[in-house]
């Protein structure tokens, strides 16, 4: 269903295969996306790195979703547009599949969802586990979201 809706790749892995790196929370604390202390789904309001990871560990399975986006030009607005499109597609999948009681890690903060950095999940290790490319040198920006469930 995910592929038919437009995701480039989708894979199910065990939550135990996700790599937790608490030091990744620094990306949030450095306020790289500009939302630190501003949104309830972002640190510090969303909880500590350990508290967020405890939520991850309460689940058994993880559906990893990836979109690939080729920006028209190399400007931040294009990067943000690709992220928005990815998160909208994730939301459409949740609705279409009638998914409930799912923990969502979005690509950047999105509505009621925290991003992978807030959960301190290593997206590159996750992509490798799924047989996906995370960082390529091909002009393609890759976005990930995860749906965690039991």
């Amino acid at each position: 269903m995910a592929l038919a809706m437009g995701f480039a790749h989708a894979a199910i892995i065990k939550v135990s295969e996700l790599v937790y790196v608490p030091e990744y929370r620094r990306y949030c604390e450095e306020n790289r996306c500009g939302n630190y202390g501003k949104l309830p789904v972002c640190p510090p309001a969303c909880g500590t790195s350990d508290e967020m990871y405890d939520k991850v560990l309460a689940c058994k399975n993880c559906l990893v979703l990836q979109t690939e986006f080729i920006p028209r030009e190399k400007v931040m607005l294009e990067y943000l547009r690709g992220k928005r499109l990815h998160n909208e597609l994730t939301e459409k999948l949740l609705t279409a599949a009638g998914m409930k009681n799912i923990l969502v890690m979005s690509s950047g903060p999105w509505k009621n969802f925290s991003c992978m950095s807030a959960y301190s999940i290593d997206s590159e290790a996750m992509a490798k586990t799924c047989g996906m490319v995370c960082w390529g040198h091909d002009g393609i920006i890759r976005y990930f979201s995860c749906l965690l469930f039991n």
Side-chain angles (χ1 to χ4, degrees), residues 115-134:
C115 70
M116 293 178 69
S117 293
Y119 286 97
S120 299
I121 298 299
D122 185 328
S123 57
E124 189 167 6
M126 179 192 68
K128 186 176 180 179
T129 297
C130 295
M132 299 177 194
V133 173
C134 185

Side-chain angles (χ1 to χ4, degrees), residues 21-41:
V21 184
E23 295 79 19
Y24 283 2
R25 181 56 79 90
R26 78 173 186 268
Y27 298 126
C28 296
E29 293 164 356
E30 292 170 0
N31 203 20
R32 290 187 179 194
C33 74
N35 293 307
Y36 185 83
K38 293 181 182 176
L39 300 175
V41 297

Side-chain angles (χ1 to χ4, degrees), residues 90-107:
T90 300
E91 200 171 42
K92 285 180 186 174
L93 177 63
L94 284 167
T95 302
M99 296 178 180
K100 304 235 187 284
N101 301 318
I102 302 285
L103 176 65
V104 178
M105 289 188 283
S106 55
S107 182

Side-chain angles (χ1 to χ4, degrees), residues 52-118:
M52 297 294 280
Y53 192 58
D54 285 345
K55 294 177 185 179
V56 170
L57 293 177
C59 302
K60 293 181 181 169
N61 301 297
C62 177
L63 171 59
V64 179
L65 302 166
Q66 181 187 57
T67 55
E68 296 177 331
F69 181 75
I70 300 173
R72 294 181 285 214
E73 43 188 310
K74 294 189 182 232
V75 294
M76 183 56 79
L77 286 176
E78 279 291 281
Y79 170 77
L80 294 174
R81 184 171 74 90
K83 187 182 288 192
R84 186 192 81 245
L85 293 171
H86 175 88
N87 287 328
E88 287 173 350
L89 190 57
T90 300
E91 200 171 42
K92 285 180 186 174
L93 177 63
L94 284 167
T95 302
M99 296 178 180
K100 304 235 187 284
N101 301 318
I102 302 285
L103 176 65
V104 178
M105 289 188 283
S106 55
S107 182
W110 179 256
K111 297 183 180 180
N112 296 321
F113 308 132
S114 298
C115 70
M116 293 178 69
S117 293

